[in-house]
Amino acid sequence: YPFLLMVLHMSISTVFTQILVRTSSLLSGVTEGRVSIRDYLFRIVPMASFNAIGLVLGNSAYKWISLSYIQMIKACTPIPLLVLSIIVGSEKRSLALFVIVCTVSFGIILSSVGELHFSLIGFIIQFTAIISDSFRMIIMELFMKDLKLDTLSLLYYSAPTTLSLIHI
């Protein structure tokens, strides 16, 4: 079922954004033609690729680990996001911020130590999904701010691309 839900989600997003672009002025980023072919290939496609990887892996993890454990692992997302943001230069180094994020995440990790049905495979799959999602968020932040795309316009471009990548 997770695969079906992903396909339905991206299909519905594609259809509704297509309808909105033809019937409303809500997608100004599309109607103003802010995205060139080059922008699509080098900005939208990588972001949609990381989105597809994150969705597929994140939903696959449910086969090995429980929902509650997945939520605990997801709560550690700020650590890789902060580290990757510092590496790419979108976030300034701050020892205080790093300590705060690590402290909160460490508390979450401690609460998950008692997981009765721990699966290393499930953990690795879920953590890889988190890394992929972190890359997606960084790409959105770095590449999309100069395009000035609103959320619906970004969905207009990324949903069909993500949908096609999920099928691969």
Side-chain angles (χ1 to χ4, degrees):
Y1 295 116
F3 183 75
L4 175 64
L5 291 175
M6 288 183 291
V7 170
L8 282 174
H9 176 232
M10 289 299 128
S11 297
I12 291 168
S13 297
T14 299
V15 169
F16 281 117
T17 54
Q18 292 290 326
I19 292 169
L20 281 174
V21 80
R22 288 164 177 73
T23 60
S24 74
S25 60
L26 292 173
L27 287 90
S28 60
V30 176
T31 56
E32 294 173 7
R34 293 183 194 157
V35 177
S36 66
I37 297 294
R38 186 176 193 284
D39 290 329
Y40 178 78
L41 291 174
F42 293 104
R43 295 176 183 208
I44 303 291
V45 171
M47 187 194 64
S49 299
F50 283 117
N51 190 26
I53 291 167
L55 284 171
V56 170
L57 291 178
N59 285 321
S60 298
Y62 287 99
K63 294 177 186 175
W64 286 280
I65 53 181
S66 68
L67 172 64
S68 58
Y69 190 56
I70 286 173
Q71 293 304 313
M72 284 188 247
I73 296 170
K74 281 184 178 182
C76 293
T77 300
I79 294 175
L81 183 58
L82 179 62
V83 170
L84 291 172
S85 295
I86 290 170
I87 289 171
V88 300
S90 65
E91 186 74 41
K92 293 181 182 177
R93 289 186 214 171
S94 167
L95 182 60
L97 179 62
F98 188 73
V99 168
I100 290 168
V101 168
C102 287
T103 302
V104 170
S105 296
F106 182 71
I108 295 164
I109 291 167
L110 278 179
S111 69
S112 68
V113 169
E115 176 65 21
L116 296 175
H117 304 288
F118 179 79
S119 167
L120 184 59
I121 293 171
F123 178 82
I124 291 170
I125 290 171
Q126 184 60 46
F127 192 74
T128 305
I130 288 170
I131 298 294
S132 178
D133 200 42
S134 296
F135 274 116
R136 178 190 62 82
M137 288 187 268
I138 290 170
I139 289 172
M140 277 178 45
E141 181 184 335
L142 290 176
F143 293 155
M144 298 305 159
K145 64 181 169 188
D146 60 323
L147 289 177
K148 297 179 182 161
L149 287 179
D150 55 278
T151 307
L152 286 174
S153 295
L154 183 58
L155 187 62
Y156 172 87
Y157 290 111
S158 65
T161 309
T162 301
L163 178 63
S164 64
L165 292 168
I166 288 172
H167 285 301
I168 292 178

